[in-house]
Amino acid sequence: MEYFFNCLFAIIFPFGQDGWKVLSLVSIIFAIKYFNVWKKDKIILSLLVFLFYGLILSVFSKDVVSGFEEMQRYFFGWLFPFLLGYAVVDETQKRKLLNLYLIVFSFTVFLGFLAYFNIIPDRISYLTFIVDERLGVICGHTIFGGKCAFIILILTTLFLFEKNNKYKYIFAFGAVFYFFALLLSGTRAYYISVFCTFILMILFYIIKNKKAVKILILFVLLSILAVAVYKFNPVMHERINKTSITKDTSLVHRIDMYKHGLNLLLKEHRIFGFYPAMSATQDGNIHKLPHFHNIYLQIILDFGFVGFALFLIILYVMFKRLFCLYKNTGNCQYLMLIFAWIAVLISENFDSLLRYPFFTGQCFWITGLMLGGVKNDK
């Protein structure tokens, strides 16, 4: 049953922002079924502590409805997908599910390419492929760019580090395929995060393998692709060339929100925050944006320093588990998640995608899937 519902999730998730949420609720059944196992898992416990802390804050909020709606996003983006994937313990089934998801997601991206080059319409029914001349398959260019970046790091890691892998060139092609999609999305935050994570990956690869030919070839190939897209794609050319902290409207908005957020930190709500979804509504939000374009600032303001500490605990126990498992087993499925999450955390300095279930649902589902059935970090 666990495998069946995860198959449905892998098929439905790339196509819809809401329909998969109902499916993810099935994880509650598995949570009850495997309660004696999961109650000892530090990642799940840290997620629950953070989420229920947010619910408690919402009860005391001036706008209880908005607070609960905000926490609903975290539940559907973080906990439910993680538990759903975590229920699968068979290693063969895990790989099949990841492959199934990549095939379905790749199909939606391929449709996006067709729309981008005017072969099919920009929109088919509720499926929107192009937003403001940028590739934004179904979910908008920013979330789409984030999803592509996560997959790029997964495929690149499998290509570089998995031994005896007869599919390595498929992984390399997939990495290039999604990198091209990321470039067309115009998501500058993930240009930066993927580049920085690639540098870390290159250093790790050289230290581990004492050679650099394989990874440098891939890096050069991706660099050539980036330069070619930049030269011949006017949208990407404009997005990069207009980048300026004084003239670029997007950056000006972000800097204004950063300043506003830092000013709010000087007020009286620093310990417990302004409560979920309330910080961006405070006086001084000049541009009336729903968030602060920085997840770390966002969590501190919404949940206070207590909530931020709980958030850091989630990251700590998750990375500790992944590092320990990779060190003890040498399995690339843990290393790929380390690099993928590093890219996410770098990019979140410029946005707040971790608040959006249609992005985090992918990240936490794949993470839960790879960790399912694995013992704690001993």
Side-chain angles (χ1 to χ4, degrees):
M1 186 170 66
E2 292 87 341
Y3 181 67
F4 171 74
F5 281 108
N6 275 276
C7 282
L8 290 180
F9 183 91
I11 295 171
I12 294 174
F13 185 83
F15 282 100
Q17 299 192 34
D18 297 310
W20 60 272
K21 292 181 180 179
V22 177
L23 181 62
S24 68
L25 288 173
V26 176
S27 63
I28 296 176
I29 299 175
F30 300 142
I32 297 172
K33 181 179 179 181
Y34 300 110
F35 176 74
N36 289 331
V37 177
W38 293 2
K39 68 180 182 180
K40 301 176 183 178
D41 189 280
K42 295 178 182 178
I43 297 178
I44 296 175
L45 290 176
S46 61
L47 285 170
L48 288 172
V49 170
F50 176 84
L51 295 173
F52 280 101
Y53 166 76
L55 288 177
I56 293 172
L57 292 183
S58 298
V59 172
F60 297 97
S61 174
K62 295 179 180 178
D63 189 344
V64 177
V65 174
S66 295
F68 276 101
E69 288 178 349
E70 180 75 356
M71 294 313 301
Q72 175 183 292
R73 297 187 185 98
Y74 285 102
F75 270 92
F76 279 106
W78 296 18
L79 182 64
F80 296 150
F82 183 86
L83 291 177
L84 187 66
Y86 197 84
V88 179
V89 299
D90 183 85
E91 292 297 325
T92 302
Q93 291 183 347
K94 292 180 183 182
R95 284 301 181 101
K96 288 181 178 179
L97 286 167
L98 181 58
N99 291 339
L100 176 62
Y101 177 77
L102 291 176
I103 290 171
V104 177
F105 186 34
S106 298
F107 175 70
T108 65
V109 177
F110 179 70
L111 292 178
F113 285 149
L114 295 180
Y116 191 87
F117 294 106
N118 301 313
I119 299 174
I120 64 174
D122 293 353
R123 181 184 179 93
I124 301 176
S125 184
Y126 72 94
L127 303 178
T128 302
F129 302 109
I130 307 299
V131 181
D132 296 331
E133 299 184 48
R134 285 170 280 178
L135 194 62
V137 179
I138 300 173
C139 50
H141 76 96
T142 304
I143 294 177
F144 175 71
K147 293 170 70 174
C148 286
F150 198 83
I151 300 300
I152 289 169
L153 273 304
I154 284 177
L155 294 174
T156 304
T157 304
L158 291 175
F159 167 68
L160 292 172
F161 295 97
E162 189 164 43
K163 298 178 181 179
N164 302 320
N165 184 5
K166 61 181 179 180
Y167 301 110
K168 62 179 181 179
Y169 293 110
I170 296 178
F171 293 140
F173 174 79
V176 174
F177 175 81
Y178 279 100
F179 188 71
F180 184 50
L182 173 62
L183 294 176
L184 295 184
S185 74
T187 313
R188 291 172 293 182
Y190 276 96
Y191 293 170
I192 297 171
S193 68
V194 168
F195 175 79
C196 293
T197 309
F198 272 162
I199 297 300
L200 294 175
M201 186 180 289
I202 290 172
L203 294 175
F204 181 77
Y205 184 87
I206 294 174
I207 293 171
K208 180 177 175 59
N209 297 288
K210 309 301 182 183
K211 54 185 179 181
V213 176
K214 189 176 179 180
I215 192 170
L216 287 178
I217 291 175
L218 180 62
F219 185 77
V220 170
L221 180 63
L222 295 177
S223 299
I224 293 174
L225 178 61
V227 172
V229 174
Y230 171 77
K231 185 175 181 180
F232 296 105
N233 184 275
V235 176
M236 181 181 175
H237 196 279
E238 179 187 1
R239 290 278 291 170
I240 293 178
N241 283 1
K242 77 171 187 177
T243 302
S244 168
I245 60 174
T246 58
K247 298 179 181 180
D248 186 345
T249 303
S250 178
L251 285 181
V252 170
H253 285 186
R254 278 170 165 77
I255 293 173
D256 286 345
M257 291 304 293
Y258 297 160
K259 292 179 180 178
H260 174 50
L262 292 174
N263 288 332
L264 289 176
L265 283 179
L266 301 177
K267 294 190 175 182
E268 56 186 287
H269 300 282
R270 289 176 293 176
I271 303 301
F272 299 106
F274 291 92
Y275 304 148
M278 291 293 100
S279 59
T281 66
Q282 301 301 311
D283 294 338
N285 185 354
I286 302 172
H287 303 290
K288 305 299 179 184
L289 297 177
H291 58 83
F292 286 88
H293 288 287
N294 182 304
I295 195 62
Y296 310 106
L297 183 60
Q298 185 75 44
I299 289 179
I300 291 176
L301 291 171
D302 277 352
F303 300 91
F305 287 106
V306 173
F308 186 66
L310 296 177
F311 172 67
L312 292 180
I313 290 173
I314 295 173
L315 298 180
Y316 170 76
V317 296
M318 183 173 68
F319 273 97
K320 181 183 178 184
R321 176 83 56 80
L322 294 172
F323 276 115
C324 289
L325 288 171
Y326 177 66
K327 180 181 178 181
N328 294 332
T329 66
N331 194 325
C332 284
Q333 70 184 34
Y334 309 120
L335 182 63
M336 71 184 190
L337 290 174
I338 292 172
F339 283 123
W341 275 105
I342 287 175
V344 169
L345 295 178
I346 292 175
S347 71
E348 287 298 275
N349 285 285
F350 314 104
D351 221 316
S352 301
L353 291 189
L354 285 177
R355 295 174 60 250
Y356 291 95
F358 202 29
F359 170 68
T360 53
Q362 171 189 273
C363 303
F364 277 98
W365 178 71
I366 294 177
T367 304
L369 186 66
M370 295 299 105
L371 291 179
V374 178
K375 297 295 183 181
N376 281 343
D377 43 345
K378 292 186 178 180

